[in-house]
Amino acid sequence: MQTFNVRGMTCGHCSKAITQAIKARDEAAKVDIDLPTGIVRVEGQLSDEQVREAIREEGYEVQ
């Protein structure tokens, strides 16, 4: 499981956008988002960089 700190997520729309961006690259990925802490956990076939790229393309800062 990969864990990322993401800045700028504030609502359900943010969660949905990030989840859809990741699943567009790996349909079977499991995505868990904790808005209050800014933590995104991903279990799937994507590399760390591929996940970061998907999140950045949605306009969020990822560490």
Side-chain angles (χ1 to χ4, degrees):
M1 180 166 293
Q2 302 154 292
T3 302
F4 304 90
N5 290 315
V6 179
R7 290 188 177 172
M9 297 186 304
T10 59
C11 64
H13 173 74
C14 299
S15 295
K16 186 176 180 180
I18 289 173
T19 299
Q20 288 179 339
I22 293 167
K23 285 187 170 280
R25 290 166 171 77
D26 179 2
E27 291 179 6
K30 293 182 183 177
V31 181
D32 179 52
I33 297 175
D34 185 354
L35 284 174
T37 62
I39 299 294
V40 175
R41 292 181 186 87
V42 179
E43 187 175 337
Q45 300 301 313
L46 300 175
S47 69
D48 283 2
E49 189 52 41
Q50 288 172 312
V51 175
R52 284 187 176 93
E53 182 180 314
I55 294 170
R56 286 187 194 115
E57 285 180 4
E58 292 302 313
Y60 301 96
E61 183 180 331
V62 61
Q63 300 171 339

